[in-house]
Amino acid sequence: MDASNDGCVLTKYEESGVKLKENGHSEVVILDKSNDYGDVPPTTRLFKRRFLILGIFCLYSMSSAFQWIEYAIITNIVLKYYEGATELAIAWTSMIYMLSYIPLMFVATWMLDNWGLRKILLFGATLNAVGSLIKIGSVSPNLFFVSFLGQTISACAQSFILEIPPKIASLWFGPSEVSTATAIGVFGNQLGCALGFLIPPKLVPNSDNLDEIGAGFRVLFISSAVVCTGALLLMFIVIKDEPKTPPSIARALSVAAENKEKAENSPMKSYLRSIGVLMKNVPYLLLFLTYGINTGTYYAIGTLLNPIMLNYHEDAEQQIGEIGLTMVVAGLVGSVLCGYFLDKTKLYKTTTVGIYVLSMAFMFVFTFTLQLKILWLDYLSIGLLGFFMTGYLPIGFEFAAEITYPVSEATSSGLLNVSAQFFGILFTISAQELLKLGSLAANLFMAIALLVGTVLTDKSNDYGDVPPTTRLSKRRFLILGSFCLYSMSVAFQWIEYAIITNIVLKYYEGATELAIAWTSMSYLLSSIPLMFVATWMLDNWGLRKVLLFGATLNAVGSLIKIGSVSPNLFVVSFLGQTISACAEAFVLEIPPKIASLWFGPSEVSTATAIGVFGNQLGCALGFLIPPKLVPNSDNLDEIGAGFRVLFISSAVVCTGALLLMFIVIRDEPKTPPSIARALSVAAENKEKAENSPMKSYLRSIGVLMKNVPYFLLFLTYGINTGTYYAIGTLLNPIMLNYHEDAEQQIGEIGLTMVVAGLVGSVLCGYFLNKTKLYKPTTVVTYVLSMAFMFVFTFTLQLKILWLDYLSIGLLGFFMTGYLPIGFEFAAEITYPVSEATSSGLLNVSAQFFGILFTIIAQELLKLGSLAANLFMAIALLMGAVLTALIRADLKRKAANETNRRVLGEEKMALADVKLIPSNHNHNHNNNNSENEGEDFEDKEKLVRLASASSSLV
């Protein structure tokens, strides 16, 4: 085909070994064709037809996926209409898609490799259309078996769809487009799922009149058949096997390898050989399992969404359909964004692990927020779950293509889908049985399955491609995220009693307001002595052991509280709370330490802010969830049931966080992330060689206490954060003086304070990273915290709830925004003293002032809330004055800047050594490039990427 006729798009490279032909055609000529795979075709070319082919495939895929869920999402209506239909039979209308795929995938991938793209797509589209047409004739209460027959035929078409996206991407798209093209191919399937959740509940009414239901089914089936038949016709007109000229060098090499394989072996032998190669590829086998677990969970949720959610929202078929739609639409966005991100970064392993962890986390979130029976929260939580879970699909395909190249993408992705269908059936049947115990059991089963998948996904360290003197590890994001989950689980428990003080008083015999306040203050008190233990352990044992020790305390405490649900067992509940409180000492000083150990100089403030974010998110949930789960009832059994759900949910998250920490956490990367850290390591090693660990630790504390700017920060940080703790602990009794019987609203007001603080902490950390204006940012944030404490104090007198939400939100924004600023300011003015020690002492101050202010404010509450609030506002005024006196001696920043020029000279010297003439041993350069790729990508065999890039550069 002539380029001018088909609208070929120019692919331009101006690197050695590549030049444009001077013949007027839009193509690239490869000057050096020598490589390990033999001769490469002389041109690569991108055709505009590729977009039309991808679009038509998406329509076909959408029409197939729509039918997958069209019965299951209206299970209760199908049961009402069709005679002989059962819940299991209806679940099988979905599971038949999974079951039929397992044997037919092997047929489909063999046909794809030997018949070509066009024939296989037309064959599948014909099955899809025939099945949809049969269902038109099944609209009668006694014809469920006909409907099931049509569904089964349509289900068989899926085997000729799911493995196609990476194949189309490889055949038609360039190297910078393949991940996005794969994501768009998956997009069509997910769009069909979305419409399958949305349209059937709209078209088929939940009526007692069977004729009305039948009319709805008729419209549904005819509409579906029209789209399926239209897709078949378009496929016949548009689809071609592949372009005459390959779109990328990787595809050209693959064509050469395929031709050689076909010349030497029969098609069946080649196909079986490729499967054998895949089954011996350990990274692929792990991906095979983890992809199956993730996608199988997704299928099970989609299939059982109607019965799962009807347990919480009766007669809400349409809303449940919309919730399913939300999951899939969010997933559409996630799949495209993840594919685009992968195209731009090529961070396959990091992206895969990160997305998997977030899928698992939001499955737990969805599981527990469902208990609240709040529809808008279900929309939100399942949307976030769908975003990451569906975003994983194209990543899995592309990761498989990378680690198995040059095996056909259809075979590698087809086997992934076999795993997905197998686990989909297994999880659907298992979850359906667990539904007999309740939706919570079924959802927990799937959440734990994702946790197992997360464990299997992450098996190694990986480091980024950065200069040899310092190096940023991709693992740093996973470590920070895992820490945030752990920190969140600790902080959640801090306020879970105090925010429902009046309910705890009603339920537990012997509980007093002071005792309940101490469930919160025990966190503050235990941190004062244990901080010295924790920071010494952190400097001498390392990050991993300290976090595991703290996470174990946290999990044990949460488990003890499960056994305290009885009015006469407040002492047991307090014991569990005290053990969990001890874990706090192994949390609060960690964010700046993780930032220093793992993050670069332009990231430390943001990393610290995100570390604080996890703790504040836990506080936010601690304000929100207990008032929702534990009712203010006169029936003690109802209150006890609420406490039981609260404690079990908390224990599951705490135990999961411990397991995740065990898998993910490492002490520090092999290569420091910054010059300042490298210098700090040298200083620490010298100190350890000259002094005992205890002597070094006591010496560093002495240095800090003689540092006047740090001592002033020690006081001001304690005043600010202590005030925050006092407000959180006493928010319930403070606000009940103005708003009686408003426990839930008070919890939401506390949530508002913390959520606004989450935003404030991240924005302040980001601002600090960009500007390094430590002193001005600290002063301004402190002054605004003080100002909005006065605003909150006086607007509270107006007894206007929306005004309380607003004023405490602004207070929380600046007061919480100060937390990471304080940590980072301390690290700057005390460098090279360990960040754990400087931040740990700040937290000792915070706990001391938190206890002091809470006790004083509780006494002042006897005079009224105004007196207590004014006391805390005046304390912040004193803190603001002291903050202005702090001298900004930014030692860490100076260390980085002083050594930057030296590092630059080292890089230039290294570059001089590595420079090789462009005509010098091209094959040798290829091998070096691939070896470096293995180092920097943690030995992930990204052969497809390496072969293409090494040929172009």
Side-chain angles (χ1 to χ4, degrees):
M1 181 181 295
D2 189 273
S4 60
N5 293 333
D6 197 58
C8 169
V9 178
L10 175 64
T11 307
K12 180 178 179 182
Y13 295 93
E14 295 182 353
E15 306 289 344
S16 61
V18 179
K19 73 172 184 180
L20 293 178
K21 282 183 70 177
E22 297 176 357
N23 61 0
H25 289 288
S26 301
E27 54 190 42
V28 174
V29 181
I30 305 167
L31 299 182
D32 184 355
K33 293 183 276 183
S34 60
N35 55 64
D36 295 335
Y37 293 94
D39 290 339
V40 180
T43 59
T44 61
R45 186 181 289 174
L46 294 178
F47 293 90
K48 289 179 181 175
R49 175 182 284 267
R50 68 193 188 279
F51 299 113
L52 191 57
I53 287 174
L54 185 61
I56 299 303
F57 169 76
C58 284
L59 177 65
Y60 160 44
S61 180
M62 180 196 75
S63 69
S64 174
F66 174 83
Q67 298 175 78
W68 163 57
I69 204 69
E70 65 180 347
Y71 294 91
I73 196 59
I74 50 172
T75 296
N76 55 327
I77 302 174
V78 177
L79 283 170
K80 186 183 294 185
Y81 183 72
Y82 280 111
E83 300 168 5
T86 65
E87 283 195 3
L88 181 60
I90 296 167
W92 270 108
T93 64
S94 168
M95 289 192 291
I96 194 65
Y97 273 69
M98 308 172 204
L99 181 63
S100 63
Y101 184 86
I102 295 174
L104 287 177
M105 185 284 304
F106 298 98
V107 177
T109 52
W110 183 87
M111 289 169 64
L112 185 57
D113 287 339
N114 293 279
W115 287 15
L117 185 67
R118 177 177 169 81
K119 289 180 181 177
I120 192 107
L121 288 180
L122 288 176
F123 185 79
T126 302
L127 288 174
N128 191 45
V130 169
S132 66
L133 289 167
I134 287 174
K135 285 190 280 187
I136 295 175
S138 73
V139 183
S140 176
N142 63 339
L143 294 180
F144 180 67
F145 73 95
V146 177
S147 214
F148 198 93
L149 173 64
Q151 184 77 345
T152 302
I153 295 172
S154 293
C156 293
Q158 181 175 245
S159 303
F160 303 89
I161 291 176
L162 294 184
E163 67 278 359
I164 299 296
K167 189 68 175 180
I168 289 179
S170 170
L171 291 173
W172 286 91
F173 287 82
S176 64
E177 302 171 327
V178 285
S179 295
T180 303
T182 301
I184 293 172
V186 173
F187 179 97
N189 196 269
Q190 297 307 308
L191 179 60
C193 295
L195 296 176
F197 279 113
L198 177 66
I199 293 176
K202 302 285 187 185
L203 293 184
V204 186
N206 186 8
S207 169
D208 293 327
N209 186 329
L210 295 187
D211 290 336
E212 289 183 5
I213 297 177
F217 273 122
R218 188 170 290 106
V219 172
L220 175 65
F221 294 152
I222 291 173
S223 304
S224 178
V226 168
V227 176
C228 293
T229 308
L232 171 61
L233 180 61
L234 285 172
M235 300 279 278
F236 183 80
I237 298 167
V238 170
I239 296 298
K240 298 288 184 288
D241 284 328
E242 63 179 304
K244 293 180 179 179
T245 306
S248 67
I249 299 170
R251 178 57 193 162
L253 298 174
S254 185
V255 168
E258 288 170 9
N259 291 337
K260 182 180 179 182
E261 179 71 22
K262 287 177 181 177
E264 295 176 353
N265 298 293
S266 67
M268 182 55 70
K269 186 176 180 180
S270 298
Y271 179 63
L272 294 176
R273 183 177 176 181
S274 66
I275 292 177
V277 169
L278 291 177
M279 291 297 98
K280 294 174 185 176
N281 185 327
V282 175
Y284 179 76
L285 283 176
L286 288 173
L287 182 62
F288 177 83
L289 292 173
T290 58
Y291 186 92
I293 291 171
N294 186 295
T295 312
T297 302
Y298 177 85
Y299 289 155
I301 293 171
T303 302
L304 300 175
L305 190 64
N306 179 279
I308 284 173
M309 297 205 66
L310 281 177
N311 287 336
Y312 300 98
H313 308 286
E314 293 182 10
D315 301 321
E317 297 83 10
Q318 288 201 23
Q319 290 90 335
I320 292 170
E322 291 169 0
I323 285 171
L325 170 72
T326 302
M327 176 176 72
V328 181
V329 169
L332 296 177
V333 178
S335 65
V336 173
L337 289 182
C338 289
Y340 179 79
F341 177 79
L342 217 51
D343 266 336
K344 295 300 180 184
T345 65
K346 304 299 181 186
L347 299 174
Y348 290 87
K349 174 70 178 292
T350 303
T351 308
T352 303
V353 173
I355 293 294
Y356 216 113
V357 169
L358 290 167
S359 298
M360 178 269 295
F362 282 110
M363 185 65 215
F364 276 106
V365 170
F366 172 66
T367 297
F368 293 115
T369 56
L370 203 56
Q371 312 304 311
L372 305 178
K373 299 183 180 181
I374 302 172
L375 264 174
W376 70 263
L377 201 56
D378 296 337
Y379 279 89
L380 176 62
S381 60
I382 207 167
L384 291 167
L385 173 63
F387 181 91
F388 293 107
M389 188 172 272
T390 311
Y392 178 77
L393 303 185
I395 292 172
F397 285 156
E398 279 302 294
F399 197 14
E402 290 292 340
I403 61 179
T404 62
Y405 179 84
V407 172
S408 168
E409 293 85 354
T411 306
S412 63
S413 60
L415 281 175
L416 290 188
N417 281 311
V418 165
S419 176
Q421 313 309 315
F422 171 77
F423 280 105
I425 294 170
L426 178 64
F427 289 175
T428 301
I429 294 173
S430 301
Q432 192 166 47
E433 287 300 309
L434 288 170
L435 275 173
K436 296 172 183 177
L437 304 177
S439 296
L440 179 62
N443 286 340
L444 273 177
F445 162 72
M446 291 185 281
I448 292 168
L450 286 174
L451 179 60
V452 173
T454 302
V455 174
L456 294 174
T457 300
D458 179 51
K459 299 298 290 182
S460 59
N461 280 322
D462 39 307
Y463 295 95
D465 185 0
V466 294
T469 306
T470 60
R471 179 178 292 172
L472 293 179
S473 166
K474 297 172 192 173
R475 177 179 284 267
R476 68 193 188 278
F477 300 112
L478 193 56
I479 286 175
L480 185 60
S482 302
F483 169 75
C484 284
L485 177 65
Y486 159 48
S487 179
M488 179 195 76
S489 69
V490 174
F492 173 83
Q493 298 175 80
W494 162 59
I495 204 69
E496 66 180 345
Y497 294 91
I499 196 59
I500 49 172
T501 297
N502 55 327
I503 301 174
V504 177
L505 282 171
K506 185 182 295 185
Y507 182 74
Y508 280 112
E509 300 167 5
T512 64
E513 284 196 3
L514 181 61
I516 297 166
W518 270 106
T519 62
S520 170
M521 288 193 292
S522 64
Y523 275 68
L524 316 182
L525 181 63
S526 63
S527 289
I528 295 176
L530 287 178
M531 186 286 305
F532 296 100
V533 177
T535 52
W536 182 87
M537 289 169 62
L538 189 56
D539 287 339
N540 293 278
W541 287 15
L543 184 68
R544 178 177 169 82
K545 289 180 180 176
V546 167
L547 288 180
L548 288 178
F549 183 78
T552 302
L553 289 174
N554 187 45
V556 169
S558 67
L559 291 166
I560 287 174
K561 285 190 280 188
I562 295 175
S564 72
V565 183
S566 176
N568 63 339
L569 293 180
F570 181 67
V571 64
V572 177
S573 213
F574 197 92
L575 172 64
Q577 183 77 345
T578 303
I579 293 173
S580 294
C582 293
E584 175 102 328
F586 301 89
V587 171
L588 295 182
E589 69 280 357
I590 299 296
K593 189 68 176 179
I594 289 179
S596 169
L597 290 173
W598 286 91
F599 287 82
S602 65
E603 302 172 325
V604 285
S605 297
T606 303
T608 302
I610 293 171
V612 172
F613 179 98
N615 195 267
Q616 297 307 307
L617 178 60
C619 295
L621 296 175
F623 280 112
L624 175 66
I625 292 177
K628 302 286 187 184
L629 293 184
V630 186
N632 186 7
S633 169
D634 292 328
N635 186 329
L636 293 188
D637 290 337
E638 289 182 5
I639 297 177
F643 273 122
R644 188 171 290 107
V645 173
L646 175 65
F647 294 152
I648 291 174
S649 305
S650 177
V652 168
V653 176
C654 294
T655 307
L658 171 60
L659 179 59
L660 193 59
M661 300 281 278
F662 182 80
I663 298 162
V664 169
I665 298 297
R666 301 289 183 273
D667 285 326
E668 61 180 304
K670 294 177 181 178
T671 305
S674 66
I675 303 167
R677 178 58 195 162
L679 296 174
S680 184
V681 168
E684 289 171 8
N685 291 338
K686 182 180 178 182
E687 179 71 22
K688 288 177 181 177
E690 295 176 353
N691 298 294
S692 67
M694 183 55 71
K695 186 176 180 181
S696 298
Y697 179 63
L698 295 175
R699 182 177 175 181
S700 65
I701 292 177
V703 169
L704 291 177
M705 290 296 98
K706 294 175 183 176
N707 184 326
V708 175
Y710 176 77
F711 187 73
L712 288 173
L713 182 62
F714 175 83
L715 294 174
T716 59
Y717 185 92
I719 292 170
N720 185 297
T721 312
T723 302
Y724 176 86
Y725 289 154
I727 293 170
T729 302
L730 300 175
L731 190 64
N732 181 280
I734 284 173
M735 297 206 65
L736 280 177
N737 287 337
Y738 299 98
H739 307 287
E740 292 183 10
D741 300 321
E743 297 83 9
Q744 289 201 20
Q745 290 89 336
I746 293 170
E748 290 168 0
I749 286 171
L751 170 71
T752 303
M753 176 176 72
V754 182
V755 169
L758 295 176
V759 179
S761 66
V762 173
L763 289 182
C764 289
Y766 180 79
F767 178 78
L768 217 52
N769 263 338
K770 295 299 181 184
T771 65
K772 303 299 182 184
L773 298 174
Y774 290 89
K775 173 70 178 288
T777 308
T778 304
V779 172
V780 169
T781 305
Y782 212 112
V783 169
L784 289 170
S785 298
M786 177 268 295
F788 283 110
M789 183 66 213
F790 277 107
V791 170
F792 172 67
T793 297
F794 293 113
T795 56
L796 201 56
Q797 313 305 310
L798 304 177
K799 299 183 180 181
I800 302 172
L801 263 174
W802 70 264
L803 199 56
D804 296 337
Y805 279 90
L806 176 62
S807 59
I808 207 165
L810 292 167
L811 172 63
F813 182 91
F814 293 105
M815 187 171 272
T816 310
Y818 175 78
L819 302 185
I821 294 172
F823 284 155
E824 282 301 293
F825 198 12
E828 289 291 336
I829 62 179
T830 62
Y831 179 85
V833 172
S834 167
E835 295 83 357
T837 306
S838 62
S839 60
L841 282 175
L842 291 187
N843 280 311
V844 165
S845 176
Q847 314 309 312
F848 171 78
F849 280 104
I851 294 171
L852 179 65
F853 288 177
T854 301
I855 293 172
I856 294 173
Q858 192 168 45
E859 287 300 310
L860 289 172
L861 275 173
K862 296 173 182 177
L863 304 177
S865 296
L866 179 62
N869 286 341
L870 273 176
F871 160 73
M872 291 185 282
I874 292 168
L876 286 174
L877 176 60
M878 294 173 58
V881 173
L882 292 174
T883 300
L885 300 177
I886 299 174
R887 182 169 60 87
D889 183 10
L890 308 182
K891 298 174 182 176
R892 186 174 64 177
K893 180 184 176 185
N896 273 317
E897 290 177 349
T898 301
N899 289 276
R900 189 171 294 148
R901 179 170 52 83
V902 176
L903 178 62
E905 292 170 357
E906 290 175 354
K907 288 181 186 176
M908 290 176 65
L910 182 66
D912 289 340
V913 171
K914 284 189 172 181
L915 281 176
I916 298 173
S918 60
N919 61 351
H920 179 73
N921 199 344
H922 184 72
N923 283 331
H924 176 68
N925 288 347
N926 282 350
N927 293 337
N928 279 351
S929 176
E930 291 173 8
N931 289 338
E932 288 175 11
E934 287 176 359
D935 279 341
F936 292 136
E937 295 297 336
D938 189 32
K939 300 180 181 179
E940 296 167 6
K941 299 193 304 177
L942 307 185
V943 185
R944 181 175 64 169
L945 178 63
S947 65
S949 63
S950 62
S951 297
L952 287 171
V953 179

